[in-house]
Amino acid sequence: MARTSPGVNRRAGWSWAALAALPIGFLAVFFVWPVAAIVGLGLTDGGVLATLSSGQIWPIAVFTIGQALASTAVALLAGLPVAFLLARCRLPGVGLARTLVLVPFVLPTVVVGLAFRVLLPDSQVLAIVLANAFFNVAVVARTVGGLWSHLDRRAEDAARVLGASRLRAFRVATLPALRPAITSAAAVVFLFCSTSFGVVLILGGARYRTLETEIYLRTTQLLDLPGAAALSLVQFAAVLAALVIGAASRRRRNATRAGERPGEKLSAAPDGARRPAGGEWWLVGAAVGTLVLLLVPIVALLARSLHTSDGWGITGYRALLTGDTEGTVAVSGLDAALNSLRTAADATVLAMVLGVLAAVVLVRLRRTGGARPVAETLDTALMLPLGVSAVTVGFGYLVTLHALPGDLRTSPLLVPFAQALVVTPLVVRIVLPVLGSIDDRLRQAAATLGAAPARVWREVDLAIALRSLVAAAGFGYVVALGEFGATSFLARPDAPTLPVVIAELLARPGEQHAQLAYAACALLMMLTGAVVIALDRLRIAGRAGGLGEF
């Protein structure tokens, strides 16, 4: 058997190191450095320990964790029946349900916040919990459903034959196998809910604040850097714990899919769906009810955008799109929408480059026995931007980036860079499982036939992963389109995005401002929905795995 020469191994090692350098370097410069600078400023000024020891932040921390736990519980209860529908049922309309459940996940936070303010104007805490759960039903449904569809039904059927009730058969045969996916989904949902910004800012007002909104308040209005740094440290600890739990659960879930855990057989055919029978129809009904409820906030917001003080009409849309707002906003809604589209496109291109490179490197490291700990560490590091305050990152940019050539603080690329930080983890999660599932023997066969490494990548990896790449780009684009946290801090006054315009309108009193805000929300929601529908028309969302390893 021919052995690879040490020189070839060294060259290959340098090539993989070069691939890893770009995402790691971007993460270091545009995430670690700004966040460390803000925390460092707070520590230098003193007062962090005093803030942590005071009684001011702990009620906020308790509310943050409490609403996140409640939202996670609601998302699990609502998402599990949908997961059953997607994974186990062969019924007309399941494909539509698969797409419909993804729409809330990619809706902008300001849109969802305003929608639930319309529905529940006098129930702030309940509105916050339901709005955060509304976002994350898709995470539960797709994460749990992805594993559920691969489980062998024969264990549950055997339990039924031996006299177990349907509930007991599920609890004994299926639930233990699903536990890694449920734990992973719960960890990710808790992460998203505990760092929710736009929803809490709109629904909580000055009365109910989370760590994220308190960091925003202390940084932008009170200029209390020690207090903001202390809150960032508390938030970072909670985020890191959620990421560690999620990473451990993903490893167990992937082991289940690979058949590495004894006693948990996987279905020989990935599609174990069949027509529901007996009590399973109750789960189908619960899933359909969840999907209908997911439509209620969307319909309510659209109806409110058309309801004016003079009756039904499109006054808000007309004023927003023509710029006839009497100086209410600096630009027309059309210009703000174009700014959003351009910025999201730039962020998506950057995130795709970084995310795909990171996924390729992670696959390589996971297949190298001794490098698995490095892969897990890098994987967790890439997820950190999802859990650290976007306001902290944005303010850190203003503090640090003047040291780089060209002073990026005044560059129009600053907002795409911040949005790319949020989108890159999503790209990694969608692309990584597909690249990791490619049989290495296909690459070896192509190389044996004389294909160069670039051609092997093009003919094997790219051909197999193309759908997931397009899905990652589409979902990343709509997430960037609605990003609000960092964008609200970094967008220039002459080039605001639609979420920033909506926030400005909501901060001003008066019926005209409210009507413009509702129209802008509806416009942003329609832009987002158009992208999701386009993905569905291409049949990408269902086949590419949707949310991937989430």
Side-chain angles (χ1 to χ4, degrees):
M1 182 177 178
R3 294 183 179 179
T4 306
S5 68
V8 172
N9 285 333
R10 280 195 297 271
R11 286 194 297 273
W14 282 112
S15 298
W16 287 109
L19 286 178
L22 186 58
I24 293 175
F26 184 86
L27 190 70
V29 173
F30 293 100
F31 176 69
V32 177
W33 182 26
V35 172
I38 292 297
V39 175
L41 279 176
L43 293 172
T44 302
D45 292 343
V48 170
L49 293 179
T51 303
L52 290 176
S53 61
S54 71
Q56 297 178 354
I57 69 168
W58 297 114
I60 297 174
V62 169
F63 178 74
T64 301
I65 295 173
Q67 64 85 25
L69 289 174
S71 301
T72 302
V74 174
L76 286 172
L77 289 174
L80 289 175
V82 181
F84 171 79
L85 175 67
L86 300 182
R88 292 302 207 190
C89 298
R90 184 176 287 114
L91 292 170
V94 170
L96 177 61
R98 192 181 304 275
T99 300
L100 179 61
V101 76
L102 285 175
V103 173
F105 179 74
V106 297
L107 282 178
T109 56
V110 290
V111 171
V112 176
L114 199 55
F116 276 86
R117 196 164 83 170
V118 172
L119 286 174
L120 301 168
D122 301 320
S123 303
Q124 291 170 292
V125 176
L126 180 61
I128 291 172
V129 170
L130 293 180
N132 282 329
F134 171 85
F135 270 118
N136 292 292
V137 169
V139 176
V140 177
R142 298 304 291 266
T143 302
V144 178
L147 178 58
W148 207 339
S149 64
H150 286 77
L151 295 181
D152 195 336
R153 302 191 70 140
R154 289 176 293 183
E156 190 173 338
D157 291 341
R160 293 281 292 148
V161 170
L162 293 174
S165 66
R166 195 174 298 277
L167 179 61
R168 179 175 174 80
F170 169 78
R171 182 165 51 83
V172 172
T174 304
L175 184 59
L178 290 179
R179 191 169 290 121
I182 294 173
T183 304
S184 177
V188 173
V189 171
F190 178 84
L191 170 66
F192 288 156
C193 294
S194 62
T195 58
S196 176
F197 177 63
V199 164
V200 180
L201 189 67
I202 292 173
L203 296 175
R207 184 177 180 185
Y208 297 103
R209 302 193 301 271
T210 60
L211 290 173
E212 185 83 0
T213 58
E214 185 69 11
I215 292 171
Y216 174 80
L217 172 66
R218 296 195 180 211
T219 302
T220 61
Q221 299 183 24
L222 302 180
L223 297 180
D224 178 16
L225 289 182
L231 294 172
S232 296
L233 291 174
V234 174
Q235 185 185 54
F236 184 80
V239 165
L240 190 60
L243 289 176
V244 170
I245 294 173
S249 300
R250 278 199 306 275
R251 286 196 297 272
R252 291 196 298 270
R253 187 174 80 246
N254 292 338
T256 301
R257 279 183 171 176
E260 295 173 359
R261 295 182 65 182
E264 293 181 4
K265 297 181 180 180
L266 297 182
S267 174
D271 184 10
R274 67 187 182 194
R275 186 174 177 81
E280 292 178 341
W281 283 105
W282 288 102
L283 286 176
V284 173
V288 173
T290 298
L291 294 173
V292 171
L293 289 176
L294 291 179
L295 291 175
V296 171
I298 298 173
V299 174
L301 179 60
L302 288 174
R304 180 61 182 83
S305 70
L306 295 171
H307 188 266
T308 68
S309 56
D310 298 326
W312 298 95
I314 58 171
T315 305
Y317 291 94
R318 185 182 297 112
L320 192 68
L321 294 177
T322 61
D324 184 20
T325 58
E326 300 179 358
T328 299
V329 292
V331 298
S332 70
L334 183 59
D335 289 335
L338 292 176
N339 290 335
S340 296
L341 294 172
R342 285 191 295 264
T343 303
D346 294 338
T348 303
V349 170
L350 179 57
M352 287 297 295
V353 173
L354 297 171
V356 172
L357 286 178
V360 170
V361 172
L362 286 172
V363 170
R364 177 70 177 184
L365 290 174
R366 287 179 175 180
R367 289 179 174 175
T368 305
R372 277 185 174 270
V374 178
E376 297 304 329
T377 302
L378 178 59
D379 195 1
T380 301
L382 289 168
M383 288 285 288
L384 282 176
L386 288 178
V388 174
S389 170
V391 176
T392 301
V393 176
F395 196 75
Y397 281 1
L398 301 183
V399 171
T400 58
L401 295 189
H402 67 281
L404 296 178
D407 193 357
L408 288 177
R409 294 178 301 176
T410 59
S411 171
L413 292 176
L414 194 58
V415 173
F417 283 166
Q419 292 179 352
L421 274 176
V422 178
V423 175
T424 299
L426 179 65
V427 173
V428 173
R429 295 270 71 82
I430 293 176
V431 175
L432 182 59
V434 179
L435 291 180
S437 67
I438 299 175
D439 194 334
D440 206 35
R441 290 174 294 183
L442 295 174
R443 301 187 184 96
Q444 295 170 359
T448 301
L449 293 174
R455 185 173 181 184
V456 171
W457 162 256
R458 186 176 69 251
E459 300 292 341
V460 178
D461 296 77
L462 183 60
I464 295 175
L466 182 60
R467 287 186 179 275
S468 69
L469 291 173
V470 178
F475 287 118
Y477 185 81
V478 293
V479 169
L481 196 63
E483 203 283 327
F484 176 62
T487 305
S488 65
F489 201 73
L490 298 173
R492 296 182 299 178
D494 61 336
T497 60
L498 264 180
V500 174
V501 169
I502 293 167
E504 291 178 355
L505 291 169
L506 290 175
R508 301 175 182 178
E511 172 64 23
Q512 181 190 13
H513 297 145
Q515 200 60 41
L516 288 171
Y518 288 121
C521 271
L523 180 61
L524 185 55
M525 185 168 60
M526 287 185 281
L527 286 174
T528 303
V531 176
V532 176
I533 291 172
L535 289 174
D536 180 59
R537 295 290 294 176
L538 293 172
R539 296 294 186 266
I540 291 170
R543 299 181 187 179
L547 297 178
E549 281 196 351
F550 275 131

